[in-house]
Amino acid sequence: MRRYVIIGSGAAGIAASEAIRNHDASGEILLITDDPHGYYSRPGLAYYLTGEIDERMLFPFSEQDFRRLNLRRITAQVARIHPEAHRIEMHTGAQLPYDRLLIATGAAAVRADVPGSDLAGVVKLDSLEDTRHILNLIRRARSAVVVGGGITALELVEGMRARNLRTHYFLRGDRYWSNVLDAAESKIVEHRLQEEGVQIHYNTELAEILGKNGRVAGVRTKDGRLIECQIVAIAIGVQPRKQLAQTSDLKVDKGILVDQYMRTSHEDIFAAGDVAQVYDPLSGKSVVDSLWGPARDQGSAAGLNMAGITTPYSRLAPFNVTRLAHLTTTIIGTVNKGRDDDLLGIARGDSETWRNLPDAIAAQANFDVNSLRLLLGKQHLLGAVVMGDQTLSRPLTRIVIERVDITPIREQILQPGAPLGDLVADFWSQLHKS
Amino acid sequence: MNIRGLFRAEQTRRKALVQGYVVPDTSRCVQCGICSYNCPINIDVRRHAWLGEPVRDSHCLTCGECVARCPRGVLRFESTNLFQTQN
């Protein structure tokens, strides 16, 4: 009987458990997590914060679902892996054997490096425990400052506003998420935030968090402004939690390096999800994503390979559907380049690939809050950003991911004022007729 | 043909109210639970999205709450069309 150990109970760990159990009815599966709440929807935390769902909804699996998988679950911290001995060592010193091991420890929020970061009231949105903590603080707070970029920063901003806090959002530059969105898209998001009552401070950097009796009382900006607040929320990116692999001499770079079978530099140890750095056949590079879909797919592939079913993981053009200032937004493929000073590295709900745009031509159509941007290569659509009306997001996702030859409409798309939406829609329907 | 003509979203929605079911696109779902939370008759729509299965529950009212509230466009109505042979 094979003994599988999975470290991490996020989407990747759960998907791996399912894949293993589907092919190995008798193997022993042990799921170890250091999160006392086990498996829950991390993206769902944003909606718990706004009050759109209550806490019990965060847990996708019932006890019955877990029983069906016949898993043993424990809450514990793994201190070290001994690859040659096929054992893991817990923080308590106890050792457990494994035949196949999966590291699916995810990513953790990067801490801000400013004076006052240790004050009570400085928060991040990384876990259920964090969210509970924020909700507790909100009860006694009047105003909040949010610092950072990407999706998580906006989730914090929207959460604070939904709970009626005066909300200040600091941007280091002159616009939001500058290396994924373009100027028009950033403007749409910022405008909507302002309409909701969020005060955006452009070109503003946090210098110091000020405290009173150990609690946040305000912030000082680098240009000397003082803003009163009781909460400072930081979302400046996440780091893959690769320490366990590092101390166990597995090959790491930005994340834990894996081959196309999700295998690390040690034959019987696999990695998947936000912690894994995966080979991308499109760019020829190894990349990290922090996306639910790929985490689940990687977990499934890892699980199958652990169970002896050789299955390569093919990384596709990454995409995410998210809500930016209450506007559903789909980001597909590669859409921009450069750096965003509000983020260090990658954020949650983010992909490195989005910022790998080679020379490409952009075509854009805006109508009110709806916006569509297409990034065109010579024959293919390299990426797309669909904001607001999502009618085209499904066809565009397929066109980008399946690398559909768009030569028949390329010239028309590039005409000034071209009806992009109609062109794509017609192209898509023709494609499906033939 | 324009987008409206092609997708006929509203028409499909109304049709689905009487003869449709809710179909998930698993690749978009992050299991947040908003769909299940808003189902008036407590169907676990999220579970269907995880498994990639249409909501064929005969109790489903096709009220559209889950479709409308999903923040990531995971769910859509699809017509069952009872008068066509299904494979």
Side-chain angles (χ1 to χ4, degrees), chain A residues 222-240:
Chain A
K222 282 204 170 160
D223 55 9
R225 279 173 290 155
L226 296 175
I227 294 171
E228 188 205 313
C229 64
Q230 295 75 43
I231 299 175
V232 176
I234 309 278
I236 54 173
V238 292
Q239 276 273 342

Side-chain angles (χ1 to χ4, degrees), chain A residues 272-294:
Chain A
D274 289 5
V275 76
Q277 187 173 337
V278 180
Y279 179 71
D280 172 31
L282 286 174
S283 66
K285 292 178 189 158
S286 235
V287 294
V288 289
D289 292 316
S290 186
L291 294 168
W292 179 280

Side-chain angles (χ1 to χ4, degrees), chain A residues 357-374:
Chain A
L357 191 64
D359 287 334
I361 307 173
Q364 182 140 27
N366 297 304
F367 179 70
D368 194 15
V369 297
N370 299 311
S371 158
L372 172 64
R373 179 160 56 100
L374 306 177

Side-chain angles (χ1 to χ4, degrees), chain A residues 5-14 17 30-34 38 78 102-106 241:
Chain A
V5 173
I6 296 169
I7 310 173
S9 63
I14 294 296
S17 311
L30 174 64
L31 189 69
I32 306 174
T33 175
D34 58 3
V78 180
L102 175 68
I103 308 175
T105 41
R241 296 177 69 201

